[in-house]
Amino acid sequence: MAEKTTYDWNRGFTLDFSLLNGLSQKGASTKRKLSQMKGMYADSAAFDQAVAEGDPLVYEFYELGVPEHPGDLAFGTSITYSGKVGNEYYMTKGHFHTILETAEVYYTLSGEGFMLTENPEGDVILQPLYPGIAVYIPKRYAHRSINSGKTPLITFFAFRADAGHDYGTIETKGYRKLVVEGLDGKPRMIDNPRWA
Ligand code: NI
């Protein structure tokens, strides 16, 4: 059974985020298998095949259950695993915040990849992620982690606790851009042929 930890949101607490002893070893994560991302990868034949051959775990994240109060901060870790669907790297679904005017910070603990962000007006920004790098995601931008490396991409995130998650917009419309492995083996950003 997962260890149940209580956090004192009123008087504070410390948490060990070392990768061996930290949050990712405690509590229950929210897991996303490939089959939960139907329609998000461009190569639907490769998608169907990978789901049929075992439906791999693509990513998971750990949250602490912070009360959804505007004065609190939600934080935790996100782990995106290494892999591809066709030539497209494993990624998170990505989301806007329900309160669109909410920024977020990600800090890379391990692995390498990208943070793909876009706002409703179509401005797209691709930021690199590697250990030591902090990314500031401005308010109004959807954000998706992409693992272009060979090891799990592990990030720490923090945002206003009542911001909420809007996954539906991305599930319906998709992102304007995708990040794939080019013929030279290097990551490149292309137009999403399915963008609605
Ligand atoms: Ni977010």
Side-chain angles (χ1 to χ4, degrees):
M1 281 296 289
E3 179 181 334
K4 182 72 179 167
T5 311
T6 21
Y7 308 105
D8 191 336
W9 299 100
N10 295 310
R11 299 197 65 245
F13 57 91
T14 63
L15 198 58
D16 182 353
F17 266 87
S18 73
L19 294 180
L20 289 179
N21 304 310
L23 181 64
S24 61
Q25 306 301 313
K26 296 176 181 172
S29 69
T30 303
K31 294 179 171 60
R32 300 281 190 232
K33 295 186 131 193
L34 187 61
S35 59
Q36 294 171 275
M37 302 182 74
K38 192 165 179 58
M40 292 189 161
Y41 290 86
D43 187 338
S44 54
F47 176 91
D48 291 342
Q49 186 180 349
V51 169
E53 287 176 354
D55 194 11
L57 178 64
V58 176
Y59 68 99
E60 56 188 316
F61 53 92
Y62 294 80
E63 297 176 300
L64 307 182
V66 59
E68 294 189 0
H69 181 276
D72 281 315
L73 289 172
F75 66 100
T77 52
S78 167
I79 304 171
T80 306
Y81 291 98
S82 176
K84 284 180 292 183
V85 177
N87 64 352
E88 191 175 358
Y89 299 110
Y90 278 10
M91 60 189 179
T92 63
K93 286 185 175 183
H95 59 268
F96 288 97
H97 290 139
T98 309
I99 300 176
L100 190 59
E101 303 285 324
T102 307
E104 183 161 355
V105 167
Y106 276 76
Y107 181 77
T108 307
L109 297 166
S110 181
E112 62 182 289
F114 298 92
M115 185 66 71
L116 179 61
T117 66
E118 72 172 47
N119 71 4
E121 289 72 38
D123 186 34
V124 176
I125 305 165
L126 189 65
Q127 309 263 34
L129 299 176
Y130 51 90
I133 285 292
V135 171
Y136 185 75
I137 297 157
K139 52 191 180 293
R140 309 190 80 257
Y141 280 74
H143 34 288
R144 158 180 285 171
S145 305
I146 298 165
N147 185 344
S148 60
K150 304 285 186 218
T151 60
L153 173 64
I154 308 177
T155 53
F156 172 97
F157 60 84
F159 63 98
R160 192 176 119 172
D162 66 336
H165 293 93
D166 165 18
Y167 290 105
T169 303
I170 297 295
E171 284 172 345
T172 306
K173 291 171 65 77
Y175 266 77
R176 287 169 170 82
K177 302 284 183 181
L178 302 174
V179 178
V180 300
E181 186 176 86
L183 294 176
D184 59 358
K186 292 184 177 151
R188 55 193 289 258
M189 188 164 71
I190 61 167
D191 288 337
N192 179 3
R194 293 188 178 193
W195 187 73

